[in-house]
Each structure stands twice: as structure tokens, then as C-alpha cells.
Amino acid sequence: MKETILTFAAVSGLLGTLVAAALVFAGQVSLGVAKTSMLVATVVWFVAAPFWLLRGDEGQAN
Amino acid sequence: MAEFEREPVPESARLGFRSFLGQYAGEHVAGTELMIGPLFLASGVSAFDLVVGLLVGNLLAVLSWTLLTAPIATRARLTLYYQLERICGRHLVTLYNLANGIMFCFLAGAMITVSATAIGVWLDLPMPGLGDTMPGSAGWVMAVVAVGAVISIVAARGYRVVARFAAVAAPWMIIVFLAFGIVGLSQLGVTEVGDIWETAKTTIWTGGDPLPGQVKYTLWHVLFFAWFCNMAMHVGMSDLSVLRFARKSWYGVATGAGMYIGHFLAWLSASVLYAVQLQTDPTNTSVLPGPMAWHACGLAGLICVVVAGWTTANPTIYRAGLAFQAIVPSISRVKVTLFTGALATTAGVFPAVAMKLLGFVALYGLVLMPMGAIVFVDFWLLKRLGMRDEFAYRAGLKFHWPAALAWVLTVAVCLVASSQASVDLIFLGLPGWFVAALLYIVFSRIRQAEQATSLTPSPEGSL
């Protein structure tokens, strides 16, 4: 369950950045709002993605 | 993971296609893409020339990896360095390592420069212009030194931690690069997808004269640049060390992920950001990824610039350190990496490398390319021509002069041709490869005739 939530959050972080840019292109949101959304999406990605992408990779770092 | 530095990669250690797809996609979305895209625009290229040149040039690069590098990598399964040692002798490989290490330092320096432009935005520092070769302010020097110091210390102490961080950052960076392009198009007034090509032709890549100090780029320049900007890796055979882990030689097509995401999408997106800057203020011709990313995507854009520079400078400094350490093995890897980082940081202080990146990349490939031709000839042709392959190994030589002479003469001929005939270096990689191959065959014939009677097969035999 936890893994599913983290994977969903990570993918949302990626999509959030892309959707914010697309909405600026479509004239639906201001650039300021999009920049804030991209920052939030970035934080979400970097919090959630390591648990998803580096699963089973622990112990290899020096 | 075992590195198999002096033995063929065994069956059990070989990797699947997806490993290479991810690795190449991540490796080619680097900080330097943020410089190259704008420099294309500064070179006065037209939209058609840029798009067609990139599509075809990147395809040729993928084919070079797949048809030249991967077949040797998956047959010999040796690192480039060990394969060269068997062909050229240990002392010549040392010289190659020195050249390789120095080139890596300059490349890492350009990546540090890119990251420092993001710090410059935060601290509101005066930053270098397009034609600048020297650092313009103490603040800029301090920003580069600070970024370089952090990158170097991390590369020396925690390379694998950053490598894991880079693996996490790569998908996000690709998305942010895409966002750069989408937001940039919006800032140029594009509101519908159908208008993009018209805007590309009339507003972004309009052709015409290059900016002052830049070389005019045509379709051929773009095509050859896309093909040969990684010349050291494919025809230069550096990626033998990577692709020797591939189960099949066709896995070389995985490089397409790097080419069409990094060297197509990312270059075009970065170029769009520069077009926005020029439209906003035509007098501001500085190619500074930090400010451009900040205006498009805010803090997320700035973080992307820092991360793109950092995650790619990290392995570059590490590889340069390994190349230098091979020359002086008694010094610890940490010390060598710190020394390498200091060299790269010094190079990064001078904006000349980053601002002339198109020219530097061409030189970098040209200097290392002849060794790839030598490996190709040695592997496929020498035995067919009645000569012995891996001659240094068989004859117990530490310095095989036919390889050394073929390497040095090829680089010299190309540099002289470039200066005398005013031919851009990027066009000389292709004829240069044939020159190196021919010279190595001729010199090998002379050298092997001298020792034909005394040569005895190595006790270890051929691989």
C-alpha cells in the first residue's frame, strides 16, 4: 500500500510539472502559478521517487 | 559490482536492454545541453536545417554506436583501456589517459560554469557574456569555485551517492527540459500546437547572420555536430567499456534514447529559452542557463540547472580522476579526484570553454577519435590483411609506435587542414577516421615486417 502511494506521488510530481507547463501554454494559468506548481511538483518527486526508483538498491552506496 | 577491468565480462554480469536505455537517456540530458541549444541559435541556423540536421545526425550517431562500437564491445567484452593496452602498449595508453583526462576536465569545467549561472541568479552576480573568455568579476569566480569545490569533494567522497541521486533526478530533468520548451513557446506568443512550426521558422530559428563572434551554422554543421559531438564515445570507442556489458550488440540502439531526448528535445527546448531572452532584450546575447531557466520555470528551473550541471560533472570528474590515477596509481583516488576537480573548476572560471562549447566538443572528439579507428582496424582488418592483431601484447611492447604515429599524425593533419583551409573541425572527424585507419595499417605493415621472424605467440593467447 505504501509503495503504491509513493509511486502515485512520484508520478504525480512528474505530471504536475508537465501539466503546469501545458496550462501556461493553453493560457489557463499564469506563469507565476505555474512556477509555484512546478516547485511543489519538484519537491513531491524528490521526496517520493527515491523510495520508488531505488527500491532494493540500499546498501550499494559508499 | 565487479568491474572486470582486465578480463572479458562474463555471461552472468551482462545486462538487459532497459539498463542501457535508462543509462543513455540520463547521461545525455546534461548541463551542457543548456549551452548547446542556445549556441545553435546564436549561430544563425534556420528551423529546417536545425530539425532535419538533428534528426539525421542523431540517427547517424545511433548507427555508429550500434554498428561500430557495440559489435566489438560484445565480442571482446573488454574496457577500451585494456583493449588499447593490448594493441598499443601500456605507455601509449598512459598518454591516451592524459589526453582523455584533460578533455574530461574541460568538459566538467563547462558543466560547473552552467551550474554557477544558477547561483549567479540567486546572488544577483554579474555574469559572463557570449564573447567573454575571461571571468568578469570576483563574485563570478567565487560562485564557480564554490560550486566546483562542492562537486569535487562529493565526487571524491561519495560518487555512488550522487550517481544514485542522478538516477532519481534524470526523469524529472527530462520533464523540466520539456517544460522549458513548452513555457518558452508560450512566452513567444504561441497558443496553438499548429502554430509552432511557423513560429519556429519566423521567430526562433530564422536563419540569417550569426551573432558576433559565432560561426554560421548550416544543415551540414548541425548534422555533423549531432553525429560527432559524442565522437569519442562511438567511433572513438570509449563506450566499449559500457557496451561490453550488453547481452546483444543491437542494444547499441538504446543510445537513441539519449540522442532524441537529450540531443533533440533538450537542445530545442534550451534554444527556445534563448529565443525568448533575445525577443525580450535583443541586446542581451549572453548564454546563461540560470537566468533563462529562472524566467521560464522559476525555482524548479534553477534547481534543474544546478542538478543538470552537478550530476553530469560528477561522473565526468570521477572518470577524469580514474584516467589520471592510471598514470600515477600510487596516489589515492580521493586525492586524484580532488586534484581533477580543482583543474575542472579552474577551467570553469574561464567562460571561454562554455561559450565556445560547440568548437570544444568538436576538438574533444577529434583528439580521441583516432584511437577508435585503431581499435576498429586492429579488431576487424589486421588479421584479414595478413598481420597480427594486439601486437603490443603479443610482442611484449610497452609502446607500439605505429599506433602512436597514426594517432598524432591524424590529429595534426586535421588541425592543419582546419586552420589552412578554414574547415570547421566538426567536418574533419569523418575523413580523419579514414586517415587514422590507413596510417595504422601502413605503419603496422612496416613494423610487423621488422619483427615477423622473431615474434612468438603470447602464452595467454588471443581473446
Side-chain angles (χ1 to χ4, degrees):
Chain A
M1 183 65 181
K2 184 183 162 192
E3 271 184 19
T4 309
I5 292 170
L6 286 169
T7 304
F8 178 77
V11 174
S12 302
L14 281 190
L15 289 178
T17 304
L18 202 55
V19 168
L23 289 175
V24 171
F25 184 82
Q28 298 297 308
V29 298
S30 70
L31 186 57
V33 170
K35 285 178 178 177
T36 307
S37 306
M38 288 182 200
L39 182 60
V40 171
T42 297
V43 173
V44 169
W45 169 259
F46 278 105
V47 169
F51 297 99
W52 175 38
L53 294 180
L54 303 180
R55 211 169 28 197
D57 197 25
E58 289 80 7
Q60 286 187 21
N62 63 4
Chain B
M1 188 174 79
E3 299 293 343
F4 308 106
E5 285 167 355
R6 300 181 73 82
E7 59 185 308
V9 174
E11 182 97 35
S12 59
R14 293 176 197 171
L15 300 170
F17 182 68
R18 283 181 59 189
S19 302
F20 297 94
L21 211 55
Q23 180 175 343
Y24 279 109
E27 189 177 321
H28 293 284
V29 180
T32 42
E33 322 313 346
L34 290 160
M35 296 297 302
I36 292 170
L39 288 173
F40 276 136
L41 200 156
S43 301
V45 72
S46 72
F48 178 85
D49 288 354
L50 181 62
V51 172
V52 173
L54 290 183
L55 286 173
V56 178
N58 282 325
L59 177 64
L60 290 169
V62 173
L63 290 175
S64 299
W65 262 299
T66 308
L67 301 177
L68 288 175
T69 320
I72 297 177
T74 52
R75 284 170 171 82
R77 298 202 175 275
L78 299 174
T79 66
L80 171 68
Y81 303 111
Y82 186 51
Q83 200 155 347
L84 273 182
E85 189 180 315
R86 295 170 71 96
I87 296 168
C88 309
R90 193 169 182 80
H91 290 169
L92 188 50
V93 173
T94 300
L95 283 179
Y96 177 83
N97 275 332
L98 188 63
N100 206 1
I102 290 170
M103 290 295 177
F104 273 138
C105 277
F106 280 107
L107 206 56
M111 291 164 183
I112 291 170
T113 302
V114 168
S115 288
T117 64
I119 307 298
V121 173
W122 265 319
L123 303 178
D124 198 20
L125 296 172
M127 288 192 273
L130 180 62
D132 289 351
T133 52
M134 301 295 284
S137 70
W140 168 254
V141 173
M142 287 168 70
V144 174
V145 169
V147 171
V150 170
I151 289 174
S152 306
I153 292 167
V154 172
R157 291 286 176 188
Y159 167 76
R160 288 188 188 279
V161 174
V162 185
R164 295 173 83 218
F165 176 75
V168 172
W172 169 81
M173 281 197 295
I174 291 168
I175 295 295
V176 176
F177 269 86
L178 192 55
F180 285 155
I182 295 170
V183 172
L185 286 171
S186 162
Q187 290 173 320
L188 288 170
V190 180
T191 53
E192 290 182 18
V193 174
D195 296 338
I196 291 176
W197 183 242
E198 190 58 28
T199 304
K201 285 191 297 182
T202 57
T203 309
I204 307 174
W205 303 285
T206 55
D209 292 333
L211 293 177
Q214 300 298 305
V215 175
K216 167 70 181 174
Y217 261 39
T218 64
L219 182 143
W220 295 108
H221 286 83
V222 177
L223 189 155
F224 273 86
F225 186 86
W227 186 8
F228 285 152
C229 67
N230 287 127
M231 185 159 54
M233 278 86 180
H234 45 70
V235 301
M237 299 286 174
S238 261
D239 274 1
L240 287 179
S241 306
V242 175
L243 289 167
R244 70 199 167 112
F245 286 97
R247 290 199 184 102
K248 309 278 184 190
S249 80
W250 65 264
Y251 289 3
V253 299
T255 55
M259 293 303 96
Y260 287 101
I261 294 174
H263 294 185
F264 187 77
L265 186 150
W267 285 356
L268 293 183
S269 291
S271 205
V272 168
L273 290 188
Y274 190 54
V276 173
Q277 177 183 300
L278 289 177
Q279 193 185 55
T280 309
D281 178 5
T283 63
N284 182 9
T285 57
S286 303
V287 178
L288 299 169
M292 289 189 288
W294 168 253
H295 289 126
C297 294
L299 200 49
L302 275 191
I303 295 169
C304 180
V305 172
V306 173
V307 169
W310 181 36
T311 54
T312 46
N314 181 60
T316 309
I317 287 175
Y318 182 78
R319 284 174 188 158
L322 287 179
F324 288 141
Q325 197 185 17
I327 299 166
V328 196
S330 57
I331 302 178
S332 76
R333 186 179 65 77
V334 170
K335 282 182 185 168
V336 171
T337 308
L338 287 174
F339 168 76
T340 309
L343 277 183
T345 304
T346 306
V349 165
F350 296 91
V353 180
M355 298 303 165
K356 298 287 181 192
L357 195 60
L358 300 184
F360 171 74
V361 166
L363 177 67
Y364 161 64
L366 194 69
V367 168
L368 301 180
M369 167 276 292
M371 283 302 196
I374 288 166
V375 170
F376 181 88
V377 167
D378 198 88
F379 192 85
W380 292 114
L381 299 181
L382 283 196
K383 277 192 278 190
R384 288 181 170 85
L385 295 171
M387 288 180 268
R388 303 299 297 267
D389 61 345
E390 299 185 333
F391 192 78
Y393 174 69
R394 294 174 193 283
L397 301 173
K398 294 215 186 298
F399 190 91
H400 187 38
W401 68 259
L405 214 51
W407 179 27
V408 172
L409 280 179
T410 301
V411 175
V413 164
C414 289
L415 292 178
V416 169
S418 176
S419 66
Q420 296 297 311
S422 296
V423 180
D424 200 297
L425 276 183
I426 204 71
F427 294 122
L428 294 170
L430 186 60
W433 190 92
F434 288 99
V435 169
L438 190 65
L439 287 176
Y440 184 59
I441 291 170
V442 171
F443 295 146
S444 290
R445 177 74 72 189
I446 296 167
R447 177 66 181 84
Q448 295 200 22
E450 288 173 7
Q451 203 167 346
T453 51
S454 61
L455 188 67
T456 53
S458 160
E460 291 179 45
S462 179
L463 282 166

